[in-house]
Amino acid sequence: MKEVRVLIVDDSKVSYMMLTKMLEKTNFKVCGYAKDSKEAVEKYQIHKPDIITMDMNLPDRDGIETSRHILKLDPNAKILMISAMKDVSLMIKGRAAGIRSFLQKPVDPNEFIDTLLLLYQNEMNLHTILEESYIKPLVKIFQRELFKLSGLQGKMMFEETRDVDFDVTGTGIIIGLTGNPSGRMIIYATDITMIEFARLVLNLSDEEDLSDEEAQDAFEEAANILMGNYISKLNDLLKDNEIRIAPPGMISGNKIRILNTKLKSFKITAKTRIGDLEMSIGFAGRQDEWM
């Protein structure tokens, strides 16, 4: 992703310093700082930033009125409201003024960066939107939940897949996604890896028995937990585009053909000591539906 310029508007120099620190090792670069409404409008015209972070309480005019002024100058301005307040009334007024998104102080660094990514996605191509805003968060959650559920450390890899279909050998859990975007996820592994993973999830010793049905149930529940955590994070960030997961389904066999038709798909692989745990996730819909 290319460098993205951010103008910070906040009457608190401490808040400015905190936000600047959060962006230090990212592609988001602070191009200017304004402590009041008058200065915000002037700095916007000078710097033409890609994104503005806007405090609600400014000494000469509130953040909503300041945003209206800037949006009159540039209707395409992308404004993120960051305020100590985040009530429904404020958000309704802000959205009516043209503010794109809202965060509450104190700002979580990861949520701040993820929200900036989603705001900037209009300027990205579809692949970059998916990779930055949807796939990279999923990779992190996959790795985290894998360790929490089983204690496994996984070397994570991901790639876009352009094939119209692919084969699954072993056991796969299919979970549908509804909302914006819609799509589906399949997490799969060979039966040997799936059974070993299930034993770790259930904390079974080598002497304890585990039926194939119990192993598959444990694998299904792990997939459900993983996707539940992922979709919850996306919904926190996307705000208006609520995504839901369908009840999981299971497939088992040799070389089961899975179609990727009309989906923008990615493959994520967790390489572990018990074998590979693989995931295919595909999204449907037009780019403009996801904004």
Side-chain angles (χ1 to χ4, degrees), residues 35 37 45 65 73 76-77 82 85 101 112 117 127 131 140 160 169 174 215 229 246 258 275:
K35 62 183 180 298
S37 179
Q45 292 175 299
E65 286 303 314
L73 297 172
N76 295 316
I82 299 178
M85 300 180 294
S101 195
F112 179 43
L117 282 168
H127 171 85
E131 184 175 310
K140 292 178 184 177
E160 183 180 358
T169 293
I174 303 175
N229 276 271
I258 305 295

Side-chain angles (χ1 to χ4, degrees), residues 201-221:
V201 170
L202 297 171
N203 197 26
L204 297 180
S205 67
D206 293 340
E207 292 75 29
E208 293 178 279
D209 293 331
L210 178 68
S211 69
D212 289 346
E213 183 179 355
E214 290 170 334
Q216 289 174 338
D217 285 347
F219 193 44
E220 181 179 285
E221 180 61 17

Side-chain angles (χ1 to χ4, degrees), residues 138-146 156 187 226 268:
L138 176 55
V139 171
K140 292 178 184 177
I141 291 171
F142 192 1
Q143 187 175 44
R144 183 191 72 200
E145 293 303 317
L146 189 62
M156 310 300 294
I187 183 167
L226 165 66
I268 302 170

Side-chain angles (χ1 to χ4, degrees), residues 3 21 39 96 108 174 203 225 229 242-244 253:
E3 183 175 294
K21 187 71 175 177
E39 193 175 7
D108 176 78
I174 303 175
N203 197 26
I225 290 171
N229 276 271
E242 236 179 40
I243 306 172
R244 290 285 179 261

